[in-house]
Amino acid sequence: MTTLAIIGGTGLTRMEGLTVTRREMVKTPYGAPSCPIVFGELGGRQVAFLARHGSTHRIPPHRINYCANIWALNSVGIKRIIAVGAVGGICETCSVGTVVIPDQIIDYTYARENTFFDGGNDPVEHIDFSFPYDGNLRSALIDGALATDGLNVVEQGVYGVTQGPRLETAAEIRRMAADGCTIVGMTGMPEAALAAELGLAYACCAVVVNPAAGNNGQKIDTAALTAAISTGMKSAVKVLDRTLQNTVLDVR
Ligand code: HPA
């Protein structure tokens, strides 16, 4: 049985190279996950895969049932999650095509179901979330990214998570930059916090697919963004493949 899952984001609704052995649609107390969990083998390792936006990419970031997705993965025995996401680049080093392994999060989302500890009969619980991403998983991803030819890799960063589905204004990005954000995306939260609430190790492989709003003095070119998603996710799959071959993943 596998304990490692990959959550695929925009442009990664199915895993190229994954030898599928079975699919399971898990029932959860929080409703339906985005799609069935796919089990298979990648990079010589057993993994589970879940497409965050659904198998046909119809679920927008603010409508994803993050609670159901994380609960479902936990219920099938997953202990570690690598989350893949397309992001905008805020800092100069995060140019299009760069793979960023963030080490911090600032959450700008609202009105999302964002906790398993929602009162009721259970005592109030506050998890420590000082360092939201797992160190071992981050190291494995960094090594995997550095071992992938021709890739610009940024080994740390602050992932600012916005509500979407619209992209940001230039002023919002200036404010996020002043806050310390280096990349911006829409799905990093509450996913990371929910994983932490269930005690699951979680790390993110972010792929920069556009300069964040206002950063190059022009509107965001959505056609270029779509093309960059397709190229960027090919890089992400290579990084995952290298990462899964990495023995660091055996540490837990
Ligand atoms: N902003 C928010 N989410 C994103 C972006 C962006 O610029 N690019 C890809 N996902």
Side-chain angles (χ1 to χ4, degrees):
M1 194 179 77
T2 180
T3 58
L4 179 69
I6 293 163
I7 299 183
T10 301
L12 197 64
T13 47
R14 53 179 287 277
M15 274 296 298
E16 203 68 48
L18 179 73
T19 322
V20 179
T21 46
R22 74 186 173 93
R23 292 182 165 78
E24 184 177 343
M25 188 65 185
V26 178
K27 285 207 174 99
T28 92
Y30 301 92
S34 298
C35 60
I37 299 173
V38 179
F39 296 87
E41 197 187 295
L42 184 78
R45 201 176 280 273
Q46 297 293 315
V47 285
F49 178 80
L50 180 71
R52 186 189 281 125
H53 297 277
S55 328
T56 54
H57 200 272
R58 298 271 163 84
I59 314 172
H62 63 294
R63 294 244 178 251
I64 291 166
N65 191 337
Y66 296 94
C67 290
N69 287 351
I70 298 296
W71 194 97
L73 290 172
N74 185 54
S75 78
V76 299
I78 295 303
K79 304 280 178 236
R80 298 164 300 170
I81 297 173
I82 295 175
V84 180
V87 296
I90 298 180
C91 72
E92 266 177 26
T93 49
C94 296
S95 53
V96 173
T98 301
V99 165
V100 186
I101 313 301
D103 61 328
Q104 278 296 334
I105 295 175
I106 299 180
D107 186 8
Y108 300 89
T109 65
Y110 49 87
R112 297 182 180 190
E113 295 296 333
N114 65 356
T115 182
F116 291 115
F117 303 139
D118 215 12
N121 292 329
D122 300 326
V124 175
E125 204 161 333
H126 304 284
I127 56 153
D128 169 56
F129 200 49
S130 310
F131 303 101
Y133 297 114
D134 180 76
N136 286 331
L137 273 185
R138 286 193 64 252
S139 300
L141 274 171
I142 290 167
D143 290 349
L146 292 175
T148 305
D149 283 343
L151 204 59
N152 187 33
V153 183
V154 171
E155 298 182 26
Q156 59 184 36
V158 181
Y159 183 164
V161 192
T162 55
Q163 177 69 1
R166 68 166 176 84
L167 295 162
E168 298 70 38
T169 66
E172 285 169 339
I173 292 298
R174 282 198 298 274
R175 183 184 76 163
M176 291 177 74
D179 285 353
C181 297
T182 54
I183 51 174
V184 53
M186 299 175 191
T187 55
M189 285 289 283
E191 197 172 87
L194 291 165
E197 285 188 348
L198 295 188
L200 308 179
Y202 180 98
C204 172
C205 175
V207 185
V208 180
V209 295
N210 59 285
N215 259 9
N216 59 0
Q218 287 162 15
K219 285 181 161 189
I220 290 177
D221 179 343
T222 47
L225 187 151
T226 307
I229 287 173
S230 155
T231 321
M233 288 308 146
K234 288 195 178 79
S235 304
V237 171
K238 285 187 197 156
V239 171
L240 291 172
D241 199 42
R242 299 304 290 255
T243 302
L244 295 189
Q245 292 167 22
N246 196 323
T247 47
V248 175
L249 283 177
D250 291 328
V251 165
R252 276 160 176 270

